Amino acid sequence: AEPFGYQAISSSARDLRRCAEIYAAETYPRAPATLWNGETHRNARIRIGYVSGEYRYQATAILMAELFERHDRNRFELFAFDNGWDDGSEIRGRINRAFEEIVDITRLTDVAAAAAIKQRKIDILVNLNGYFGRARQGVFALRPCAIQVNYLGFPGTLGADYMDYIVADPHVIPPGDAGCYTEHVVYLPDSYQVNDSRRRVAEHTPTRAEAGLPDSGFVFCCFNNNYKITPAVFDAWMRLLKQVPGAVLWLLEGNAAASRNLRREAVARGVAPERLVSAKLIELGEHLARHRLADLFLDTLPYNAHTTASDALWAGLPLLTCQGTTFPGRVAASLLHAVGLPELITHG
């Protein structure tokens, strides 16, 4: 199985490790000869390289932008190795200003990209994709620097012995689960998930009618990607709607086919299809503002809300989660602990 997809259905941290190990061995094995040969630079500042295909208006960049800006420039030099493109967004503009250099690796082979990293004598190389998005795991298999770190984009182990560390917190990786990760676990004291304090919530709140919601009734919502909605979770939601007359379930419309399928499944469970309301994709500030129309965010399992959980809490919407048994199933619990709302964490 492809590890990112398997995270959406597996409740076993040990199985996720094995999946990643098999995938890494078959697809991105350690190179026979690594590029880094022990040399270091004489510069007093530590050189950090971030490898990502998402330096644009995308969840990873939206979360990371302020972290890039807050590096102490007296101690660190920042280099971005970009496997994506400049989309001209405000987020990309902030990223452009935060780095000493942005190196376009989209047209480079893994060997050429790794050579560009080695040439700049990077001390710490951070993998912001892992097995998600526009990833370049093959660059890390060549080990162009001394320390290689797995962070944020892929919530789990990469199963590769050339990855040294994974950044986590005690909620997403309890100390007793560290053996399910091939990387050494670096624990942050609160939540592992960085966030941007400059995220803007639009002042205008749409009306219920403008959002396609009924004039009255309790609004449950889940703005997670549709693939996270498993049959078991959907069954629980339908039982809930049956017990709360007039309530609706407000779901993000990732694609029209998913919305049609979910409405059909609602009917099969005895729930009127109009009680599932679709939310179209809109600009982030406006999206955050429409959270004000909802009453409670319902999380998914075994793959939680991640950025969408941050969005809800940032907008002031309570989020109810069930703490899972894997990294991706414990992120919402991590965030709720960080904001002081552990009472919204349930346990299966």
Side-chain angles (χ1 to χ4, degrees):
E2 194 280 324
F4 186 70
Y6 190 53
Q7 287 181 326
I9 59 173
S10 176
S11 298
S12 168
R14 195 160 297 281
D15 286 353
L16 289 177
R17 170 177 172 157
R18 188 67 190 123
C19 176
E21 286 176 327
I22 293 169
Y23 188 77
E26 292 184 350
T27 314
Y28 301 107
R30 173 192 285 271
T34 58
L35 292 185
W36 184 68
N37 56 11
E39 64 180 334
T40 58
H41 61 82
R42 298 179 181 276
N43 195 315
R45 293 191 292 170
I46 296 171
R47 292 183 174 176
I48 304 179
Y50 288 95
V51 180
S52 177
E54 275 65 46
Y55 290 122
R56 59 184 190 281
Y57 189 72
Q58 191 272 340
T60 302
I62 290 169
L63 292 176
M64 291 285 293
E66 190 172 3
L67 182 144
F68 298 141
E69 295 167 338
R70 284 178 173 263
H71 282 69
D72 183 348
R73 295 314 173 83
N74 293 319
R75 298 174 60 198
F76 302 101
E77 289 182 273
L78 264 63
F79 297 81
F81 297 93
D82 184 11
N83 194 48
W85 62 92
D86 187 337
D87 62 353
S89 63
E90 179 187 356
I91 285 290
R92 178 60 187 233
R94 290 172 60 187
I95 290 170
N96 288 344
R97 293 187 292 273
F99 284 94
E100 318 275 336
E101 183 183 6
I102 295 182
V103 183
D104 184 357
I105 61 171
T106 55
R107 295 174 180 83
L108 299 182
T109 64
D110 287 344
V111 171
I117 293 165
K118 181 177 183 292
Q119 179 185 8
R120 287 160 178 81
K121 295 182 170 60
I122 300 298
D123 296 301
I124 302 171
L125 192 64
V126 184
N127 188 343
L128 293 178
N129 279 95
Y131 301 134
F132 162 79
R134 296 179 62 86
R136 292 300 296 268
Q137 182 71 9
V139 173
F140 290 83
L142 291 156
R143 187 177 279 281
C145 70
I147 299 173
Q148 303 194 139
V149 180
N150 171 17
Y151 180 54
L152 196 63
F154 184 80
T157 184
L158 296 177
D161 61 1
Y162 49 79
M163 298 302 302
D164 303 302
Y165 298 100
I166 182 171
V167 179
D169 63 58
H171 303 292
V172 292
I173 303 181
D177 284 3
C180 297
Y181 299 79
T182 57
E183 305 91 343
H184 296 290
V185 183
V186 175
Y187 285 104
L188 294 180
D190 299 306
S191 178
Y192 87 104
Q193 191 194 86
V194 67
N195 249 286
D196 181 11
S197 67
R198 293 171 57 182
R199 282 201 289 173
R200 180 187 64 87
V201 182
E203 293 184 8
H204 172 71
T205 302
T207 65
R208 280 193 165 207
E210 289 172 337
L213 296 167
D215 292 335
S216 62
F218 197 92
V219 178
F220 296 104
C221 86
C222 180
F223 292 146
N224 289 356
N225 281 314
N226 298 150
Y227 74 84
K228 296 182 181 182
I229 304 173
T230 63
V233 165
F234 194 73
D235 285 343
W237 290 350
M238 295 304 100
R239 292 195 300 270
L240 186 60
L241 288 182
K242 288 180 178 179
Q243 294 179 41
V244 185
V248 296
L249 177 61
W250 197 15
L251 301 174
L252 189 70
E253 183 170 283
N255 62 76
S259 294
R260 289 195 301 271
N261 291 341
L262 289 169
R263 288 194 179 94
R264 186 185 65 242
E265 292 299 321
V267 172
R269 289 161 175 78
V271 174
E274 60 269 19
R275 296 184 70 183
L276 271 63
V277 180
S278 296
K280 305 290 185 181
L281 297 173
I282 58 175
E283 187 273 331
L284 180 59
E286 296 174 359
H287 172 62
L288 293 173
R290 69 181 172 184
H291 281 70
R292 300 176 182 130
L293 300 175
D295 296 296
L296 182 66
F297 190 112
L298 300 176
D299 201 8
T300 50
L301 202 70
Y303 201 127
N304 281 176
H306 292 191
T307 305
T308 45
S310 299
D311 290 345
L313 296 173
W314 188 250
L317 175 63
L319 179 146
L320 183 67
T321 192
C322 182
Q323 181 169 290
T325 52
T326 66
F327 190 135
R330 302 171 69 95
V331 170
S334 168
L335 294 169
L336 287 167
H337 275 291
V339 300
L341 292 172
E343 63 272 21
L344 291 176
I345 304 167
T346 66
H347 303 270

